[in-house]
Each structure stands twice: as structure tokens, then as C-alpha cells.
Amino acid sequence: MNPEVIREYLPLYKEAFILTLRTGWIGILLAFAIGILVAFAIHFRVPVLSKIASVYVELFRNTPLLVQLFFIYFALPKIGLSIPAETCGAVGLGLLGGSYMAEGIRSGLDAVPVSQEESALALGLTKRQLFTYVVFPEAMSISIPAIVANVIFLLKETSVFSAISLMDLMFTAKDLIGLYYDTTEALVLLVVFYIIMLLPVSILGSIIEKRVRLRTLGG
Amino acid sequence: MGFEVLAKGNNAMRLLEGLGVAMRISLISVVISIVLGVILGVLVELKRPFIMAFFRVYLEIVRIMPQMVLLFIVYFGTTKALGLNLSAEAASIIVFSFWGAAEMADLVRGALGGIPVIQYESAASLGLTRIQTYRYVIVPQIVRRMIPLSINLITRMIKTTSLVMMIGIVEVLKVGQQIIEANRKSSPNAAFGIFATVFLLYFLACWPISQLAKYLEKKWEN
């Protein structure tokens, strides 16, 4: 390993890291928003919308992100819908993640015991109060492990962005290997930056999961 | 819309063959993952500190490293570091098995740990030997819990194999790109038709399998 090479590569990786992180987190926020809306549509059996939502979930859960990105980036322009690469990455990640988040949140909503709803209604809560103060908070705390797992999964999936020529960490590593053949240095930096990106989230996830489990043990 | 290229020559057949390559890699990896994962999962349940520590590190690596990064490390890294000339297909099978075995071991560990102690005690009080306990009580329950999860692993493996085009394996996406390139003049919209077809092909490959997993999971729910 040559420290000179690492020093030279570092700024390139830093730039790529910021781009990966930015696109990734925008995608994750988008995924969360889509996930909540879709989960509501399915849980409350909203006519028509719930059908569309189910088809969306099945379609995007059963296809790889790479194929989805290729479709959005290369195929949609042919029918007049051109999207810049970075937006495309965030939207693709959001659509993929939305289907996973929806499943997680929906199963949380379904897991809230009926007795909770009945008790709340017996206490005189309106339907709206029942949902905002009882069902939704409980469902979210049930879904948290799934949501955290999905966030980690989606951050890892950002590595696919290089396929639509976004200059992310993967792209930078591949580019440098191809240009200068300093394979070891390029790969070590790649690994280090992915650890910086994911280890904190993974540790935080374990802590949250433990706390959620404590809650259920007490209950 | 660009679907007409599929009818030209043997383009449709080539796409399917590309999908076949991806399926072959994922099936081989799944089989290796299941075998290694079951062995490792049982070893971890023995709760020896050394194995536990090793497993935690292994699991964390798989948890936070994207498969694509692992692919690059094995494909480009080993060539450089060990002077080993791995084929792209071998590299991808190694990576996917490395990943799948960890996932599988964690599932086995979870399923084994999820069996209440009372089951072992009841079996012992009925006079079953250790082997009989496992043969008639524990293993059947584990298998029921594991089968839907293993089937899910197959679909995840199939989806992940789409990455292998990034290290130069000619699978369905790569074939798609080649067809688009070759027909650039005659069907300028081929990209739409081809990528829509690839999207659908992946869906058709994965959806029935995940439905089966869902069905079995419901059916065997205690």
C-alpha cells in the first residue's frame, strides 16, 4: 500500500462519498414517504388505490434495483421522459425502498392488537384520535426493526448507482482501478468509506432494536 | 415502442439465455449457501465463545458491505493480491455464497434459538434419546420455519445476480445492451422494449417463488 496514492485519491473519494450519501438519503426519505402512503392505502383498503399499491409493491419487490434503474434511465427517455442521473438514482432507490418500507409499515399496522382499538373506542376516542394516538404510534414502534433493516439495505444498494454513470464510490473505485491499476489502494478506500457510511447506522440500528424489544418484554 | 427487436433473429432467445446464466449462478450460490449456512448456524448454536466472536464479525461484514463491493474485492482484489486468476463467474459464486451462508446461518441460529427449552425437556421426560429428540421433535419444526425463509433467499439471490454484469458477465442485462447497440439504426427505441422485457422477465422469475414462500409461511404458521 502506497500512502502517497491514498493521499492523492482521498479527495476524489470524499466527493464521491458526499454524492453517494446525498443521493442515498434523499432516496431513503422518498422511500419512507412512499412506504407510508402505500401502507395506508393497503391497510385501509382504499378502493382502487389499494389495488394499484399492491401491484406496485409486488413489481418492485420482485425486481432488482439495477434493472429498475436501467428502465428509468435508459428506457423512459424513449417515451419522452428524460431524468438526470442523480434524480434517477434517488427516484429509483425511492421506488425500490418504498415497496420494502410499505411491507414493513403495513405489517406493523396489522400487528396492533384489536383490543387496543376496542379499548380506545370504549374510552370515547374518535376514529381520528384512535389512529393518531393509538394505532399509528404502536404500529411504528413495531415496524422500527424492519425500517432500520431497510435503511441499511438501501444504503448498500446505492452501490448500484455507478451503472447509470453516477460518480459514486463504486464508480470512482472502478475508474481509478482502470486508470492507474492501484487496485489495493482503490479497494481499501472503497471499503473504508462504506464502513464510515454504514457502521454507525448498523450500530444505531442494534441499539434501537434492543430498546424496542425491551418495550415488548415489559408489555 | 421498440418491442419489435425481440422478434428479430434470435434476440428473444438470447435474452432468455442471459436470464439462464443469472439463474444458474444464483442456484449454485443458493445451494452452497444453504449447506454452509446450516453447518455454521448449528456451530454457532453450540455457543463456543470463539465461534460466536468469529460469527459476529462475519455477520457484520456481510451486513454492512454491499455485495457489489465484495464482488470488486474478490474479482479485482484477489487477482492483484494473490495473483489468482478467478473467472468472473467463480468470483460471483464465491461472493454470493459468502453472503448467503451468513444470512442462512443467522436464520438457522434464530430458528434453533426459537425452540423453547420445554420442548427438549418434554422430549427427555417422554424417554426420547438425544438423537430421537432431534429427529422427531426439533428438526421437523426447524425445517418448517426454514423452508419459506430459504425460498426467499432464492429470490434475493436471483435479484442480486443482476450485479454480475458489472464485472463483465454476459447475462440478461448485458445481452439487452448488446441487442440495443446492434439495432441502434433500425430500432432507435429498442431500449424501451428491451428493458421493459428484462424488467418483466425478472418479475416473472421472482414473483412465483416469493408467492410460494408466502403461502408456505402462512400454511405452517403455528
Side-chain angles (χ1 to χ4, degrees):
Chain A
M1 276 240 281
N2 188 346
E4 197 62 23
V5 175
I6 296 221
R7 206 165 308 138
E8 212 173 299
Y9 284 180
L10 213 49
L12 293 171
Y13 273 90
K14 229 194 264 160
E15 213 169 297
F17 178 67
I18 291 167
L19 178 113
T20 310
L21 213 55
R22 184 176 59 217
T23 318
W25 278 103
I26 293 174
I28 288 169
L29 290 180
L30 200 62
F32 194 66
I34 295 174
I36 284 195
L37 290 178
V38 169
F40 282 3
I42 295 176
H43 180 72
F44 292 116
R45 301 200 175 83
V46 183
V48 188
L49 276 185
S50 72
K51 282 270 177 311
I52 299 173
S54 304
V55 172
Y56 154 73
V57 169
E58 292 298 336
L59 258 183
F60 279 80
R61 271 179 72 92
N62 286 300
T63 43
L65 178 61
L66 190 58
V67 174
Q68 295 164 10
L69 285 180
F70 268 48
F71 184 77
I72 299 172
Y73 191 64
F74 295 113
L76 289 187
K78 300 290 175 199
I79 54 169
L81 207 69
S82 284
I83 307 169
E86 201 178 324
T87 318
C88 179
V91 169
L93 199 67
L95 284 172
L96 171 85
S99 67
Y100 280 82
M101 292 287 189
E103 278 286 290
I105 296 167
R106 188 191 56 81
S107 60
L109 285 170
D110 290 349
V112 176
V114 189
S115 64
Q116 295 281 331
E117 296 181 32
E118 291 167 350
S119 317
L121 288 176
L123 284 171
L125 268 68
T126 62
K127 282 249 166 187
R128 197 199 203 102
Q129 287 171 326
L130 163 71
F131 189 74
T132 43
Y133 297 119
V134 181
V135 177
F136 188 62
E138 283 195 42
M140 285 317 274
S141 76
I142 298 171
S143 314
I144 274 181
I147 292 172
V148 173
N150 284 339
V151 168
I152 294 173
F153 162 71
L154 291 173
L155 281 177
K156 280 163 71 179
E157 287 286 300
T158 56
S159 58
V160 174
F161 287 165
S162 57
I164 51 167
S165 29
L166 257 177
M167 306 254 257
D168 71 337
L169 287 170
M170 223 52 232
F171 189 94
T172 307
K174 195 174 185 176
D175 213 27
L176 291 173
I177 292 172
L179 278 174
Y180 304 115
Y181 271 108
D182 292 316
T183 314
T184 319
E185 288 82 357
L187 287 177
V188 166
L189 279 172
L190 178 68
V191 168
V192 167
F193 273 98
Y194 265 107
I195 290 177
I196 296 174
M197 187 154 125
L198 278 146
L199 196 59
V201 184
S202 171
I203 293 171
L204 194 72
S206 308
I207 296 171
I208 293 174
E209 237 167 272
K210 240 174 234 153
R211 289 195 60 140
V212 172
R213 221 176 297 143
L214 283 181
R215 184 198 68 96
T216 52
L217 274 179
Chain B
M1 293 276 270
F3 286 102
E4 71 281 354
V5 277
L6 288 171
K8 275 187 207 155
N10 51 1
N11 282 348
M13 208 52 226
R14 281 179 62 205
L15 267 186
L16 284 179
E17 275 165 21
L19 191 68
V21 172
M23 298 288 253
R24 188 179 66 222
I25 293 174
S26 45
L27 279 183
I28 297 173
S29 311
V30 164
V31 172
I32 299 175
S33 299
I34 289 178
V35 174
L36 291 181
V38 169
I39 296 172
L40 188 59
V42 172
L43 282 178
V44 170
E45 255 317 275
L46 296 176
K47 302 215 159 58
R48 298 274 186 280
F50 175 74
I51 303 176
M52 298 274 276
F54 164 79
F55 184 64
R56 283 201 60 154
V57 174
Y58 174 29
L59 204 62
E60 196 60 25
I61 293 173
V62 171
R63 208 165 115 101
I64 68 171
M65 271 304 129
Q67 286 94 342
M68 188 88 117
V69 175
L70 296 175
L71 266 183
F72 266 52
I73 293 173
V74 172
Y75 188 56
F76 296 115
T78 52
T79 315
K80 177 91 177 189
L82 309 172
L84 215 66
N85 200 359
L86 275 180
S87 74
E89 201 168 322
S92 51
I93 289 173
I94 291 172
V95 167
F96 296 150
S97 306
F98 178 79
W99 161 65
E103 297 255 333
M104 204 60 205
D106 199 34
L107 296 177
V108 171
R109 190 188 57 90
L112 272 172
I115 303 263
V117 188
I118 200 167
Q119 301 254 353
Y120 294 92
E121 294 169 349
S122 315
S125 72
L126 284 172
L128 267 66
T129 64
R130 213 181 139 81
I131 292 174
Q132 284 173 326
T133 307
Y134 277 97
R135 164 73 182 79
Y136 296 108
V137 182
I138 308 301
V139 173
Q141 295 186 67
I142 301 280
V143 168
R144 280 192 170 195
R145 283 188 206 186
M146 293 306 303
I147 286 179
L149 299 171
S150 323
I151 295 174
N152 261 332
L153 188 67
I154 300 177
T155 62
R156 291 172 58 204
M157 203 63 98
I158 294 174
K159 283 184 282 176
T160 311
T161 41
S162 61
L163 300 182
V164 299
M165 73 160 289
M166 305 292 281
I167 56 167
I169 294 181
V170 182
E171 45 68 77
V172 58
L173 271 175
K174 194 78 209 166
V175 173
Q177 282 183 328
Q178 289 170 349
I179 294 174
I180 294 165
E181 287 296 323
N183 296 284
R184 178 131 286 176
K185 287 265 161 54
S186 56
S187 339
N189 287 332
F192 187 85
I194 292 291
F195 287 134
T197 309
V198 173
F199 196 106
L200 201 68
L201 281 178
Y202 263 105
F203 178 73
L204 290 178
C206 292
W207 189 66
I209 306 177
S210 37
Q211 289 304 103
L212 176 68
K214 224 186 254 175
Y215 166 76
L216 290 178
E217 212 169 328
K218 265 217 185 96
K219 191 178 155 197
W220 286 338
E221 231 169 18
N222 301 333

